[in-house]
Amino acid sequence: MNYLRGFIPWIVFAAVGSAHWQWGALAALVTAAYLFAMDRRRGVPTDSLILEQSTIAFFAVLSVIAFAATDSGLREYGGALATGWLALTAWATLAVRKPFTTGIAKRQAPREVWTNPVFLRINVVLTSVWALAFTLTALALAAIDAESLGSTASIAAQVAGFAIPAVITAQYPERARRAAVHKGA
């Protein structure tokens, strides 16, 4: 479940930002910077911290905007913007052939599997699942916000948008490894 750690700042933003978006953005930025610093102190290479770096960039910009224009119309679309940013990050890492899940997986997998085609394929699939989930969730949240459907609909979309890919992330790698072994046998 180490991959969920990278989403802690986003959860902080959702929790605090629902009442005070500027403080939610700042709390998420501080949380993201702290987690990044802790990982770096533990020796995690920066290329394994793509999600964390993207998170810091997003919340740094959002914090400036939120404090400079507390009544900005962006406030109403904070969840959609945040999830949209995650989608852009995931799609970008796929485009440059460095799926963001690879850095997370490398923290758990032995070095000798890092170049294995099955390991690489698993991370392309998982990043694709997250990218699609983030995209659909951002679109759903934008529609929910535009139609003022309320926090219940927003929470349901966010929970589904994270729970579904989290379950796939927990189950898919082992199935893919078994399939690869079976295919090679």
Side-chain angles (χ1 to χ4, degrees):
M1 292 296 237
N2 276 344
Y3 60 90
L4 292 178
R5 187 173 182 270
F7 296 117
I8 291 172
W10 302 93
I11 295 166
V12 167
F13 175 64
V16 178
S18 62
H20 305 284
W21 79 304
Q22 67 273 38
W23 294 109
L26 186 59
L29 174 60
V30 169
T31 302
Y34 173 77
L35 292 172
F36 180 80
M38 294 297 293
D39 283 338
R40 291 296 295 140
R41 271 198 288 277
R42 282 198 303 268
V44 178
T46 55
D47 67 342
S48 291
L49 297 169
I50 294 168
L51 180 64
E52 291 80 356
Q53 293 172 74
S54 175
T55 299
I56 290 169
F58 176 82
F59 286 117
V61 171
L62 188 64
S63 292
V64 169
I65 293 169
F67 278 100
T70 56
D71 59 347
S72 169
L74 292 179
R75 180 179 197 267
E76 301 306 316
Y77 292 91
L81 287 171
T83 310
W85 181 262
L86 287 169
L88 287 172
T89 300
W91 290 119
T93 66
L94 286 168
V96 299
R97 299 184 187 279
K98 294 191 181 287
F100 83 88
T101 59
T102 305
I104 298 165
K106 283 181 176 180
R107 294 182 222 168
Q108 300 169 2
R111 184 175 292 277
E112 56 270 12
V113 303
W114 292 2
T115 57
N116 181 299
V118 175
F119 178 82
L120 299 172
R121 179 70 185 144
I122 287 169
N123 283 288
V124 167
V125 169
L126 292 179
T127 298
S128 298
V129 167
W130 282 102
L132 180 60
F134 292 147
T135 301
L136 294 174
T137 303
L139 292 171
L141 290 173
I144 290 165
D145 292 339
E147 296 298 321
S148 300
L149 298 178
S151 62
T152 302
S154 179
I155 291 168
Q158 289 176 356
V159 167
F162 280 86
I164 293 168
V167 168
I168 292 169
T169 299
Q171 296 176 355
Y172 175 74
E174 186 55 38
R175 279 193 269 169
R177 284 190 288 273
R178 279 196 312 263
V181 168
H182 180 70
K183 185 178 180 181

